[in-house]
């Protein structure tokens, strides 16, 4: 069973670790700017993208493409997590230390906040849309939906990027991760919003000042990501991989 490691302060503030935090900040900023920007753009061009099937497809495709790039550009520096739920799942699976993971999450949240504030400036003050459950969908249903789709995302991260047996499959990891996010948004967008990412939901909440039901997008993704990390690491990676602080 992979062990969970807390980590050391000196390791978490090494030059390599600081570069990794910066990479997570930049990758998350790029992803959120594109993803939230696509929703703002579609809202500007149509009456209501949230109720338009074409808008759902456009936003899903943009998030998938954006995450593919964000993961790819950060992969060789920080592992390209771009998501606190991914970081949490990898920490529970022994792939990154808890302490380093906390700094990753801080960098991701800051990247998302900055991206959303920049969007408000460059769009002339247009509203930044937040994640929320759809009419007729309760908070519990939203949490369960986010658990399921985030489990799928983090399981994909493990299978294509974290598993030492991945071999050449690792070369398509960013594509696979982008695809599962796009597919999950198509499935869950009309119900829970299809976040899978606390940072993706937190940045718009800060920029808009509206934290309505924001807890759903912490509880669901963290539980789903954690379950995926524990499942994959303990069932498929037993005694095969020691905790690390820089690869993922």
């Amino acid at each position: 069973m992979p062990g969970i490691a807390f980590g050391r302060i000196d390791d978490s503030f090494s030059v390599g670790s600081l570069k990794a935090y910066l990479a997570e900040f930049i990758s998350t900023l790029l992803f959120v700017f594109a993803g939230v920007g696509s929703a703002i753009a579609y809202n500007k061009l149509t009456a209501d993208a949230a109720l338009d099937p074409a808008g759902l497809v456009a936003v899903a495709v943009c998030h998938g493409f954006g995450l593919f790039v964000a993961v790819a550009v950060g992969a060789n520096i920080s592992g390209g997590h771009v998501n606190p739920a991914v970081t949490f799942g990898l920490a529970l699976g022994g792939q990154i230390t808890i302490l380093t993971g906390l700094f990753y999450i801080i960098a991701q949240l800051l990247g998302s906040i900055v991206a959303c504030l920049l969007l408000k400036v460059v769009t002339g003050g247009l509203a930044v849309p937040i994640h929320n459950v759809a009419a007729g969908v309760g908070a519990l249903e939203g949490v369960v939906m986010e658990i399921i789709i985030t489990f799928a995302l983090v399981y994909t991260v493990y299978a294509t990027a974290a598993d030492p047996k991945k071999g050449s499959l690792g070369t398509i990891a960013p594509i696979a991760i982008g695809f599962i996010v796009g597919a999950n948004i198509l499935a869950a967008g009309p119900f829970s919003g299809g976040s899978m990412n606390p940072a993706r939901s937190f940045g718009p909440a800060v920029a808009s000042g509206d934290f309505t039901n924001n807890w759903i997008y912490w509880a669901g993704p963290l539980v789903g990501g954690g379950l995926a990390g524990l499942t994959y690491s303990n069932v498929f990676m037993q005694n095969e991989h020691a905790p690390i602080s820089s690869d993922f």
Side-chain angles (χ1 to χ4, degrees):
M1 178 186 297
I4 299 175
F6 180 76
R8 294 165 35 190
I9 291 290
D10 57 343
D11 181 58
S12 296
F13 284 97
S14 67
V15 174
S17 292
L18 294 175
K19 288 181 179 179
Y21 307 150
L22 179 60
E24 284 297 305
F25 171 84
I26 293 173
S27 289
T28 307
L29 188 156
L30 296 177
F31 167 63
V32 173
F33 189 92
V36 177
S38 70
I40 295 174
Y42 206 87
N43 273 323
K44 181 177 175 60
L45 297 173
T46 62
D48 191 346
L51 301 178
D52 187 337
L56 176 63
V57 173
V59 170
V61 169
C62 185
H63 278 78
F65 284 174
L67 187 60
F68 161 48
V69 173
V71 171
V73 299
N76 293 331
I77 307 169
S78 65
H81 295 195
V82 200
N83 184 340
V86 170
T87 299
F88 183 64
L90 290 170
L92 289 187
Q95 307 304 304
I96 185 172
T97 66
I98 296 295
L99 189 58
T100 297
L102 287 174
F103 288 114
Y104 267 44
I105 291 172
I106 292 171
Q108 293 155 1
L109 294 175
L110 290 175
S112 178
I113 292 169
V114 171
C116 292
L117 293 176
L118 287 173
L119 280 168
K120 288 194 70 172
V121 172
V122 300
T123 61
L126 291 179
V128 177
I130 66 168
H131 276 128
N132 206 345
V133 293
V137 178
L140 179 60
E141 289 87 350
V143 170
V144 173
M145 178 70 83
E146 290 295 320
I147 289 173
I148 295 169
I149 60 178
T150 310
F151 181 96
L153 167 59
V154 177
Y155 191 90
T156 301
V157 170
Y158 264 92
T160 61
D163 194 329
K165 303 188 301 296
K166 65 183 181 293
S168 59
L169 183 64
T171 60
I172 69 163
I175 300 176
I177 294 167
F179 278 2
I180 191 62
V181 164
N184 281 342
I185 291 175
L186 289 174
F191 304 101
S192 70
S195 172
M196 298 164 275
N197 186 335
R200 166 62 181 81
S201 299
F202 187 72
V206 172
S208 66
D210 186 352
F211 291 86
T212 304
N213 287 329
N214 188 253
W215 67 271
I216 292 173
Y217 306 102
W218 284 91
L222 290 179
V223 171
L227 288 174
L230 291 172
T231 300
Y232 199 99
S233 63
N234 289 305
V235 175
F236 303 110
M237 293 172 60
Q238 293 183 1
N239 302 318
E240 294 179 9
H241 206 55
I244 54 178
S245 61
S246 58
D247 289 349
F248 299 101

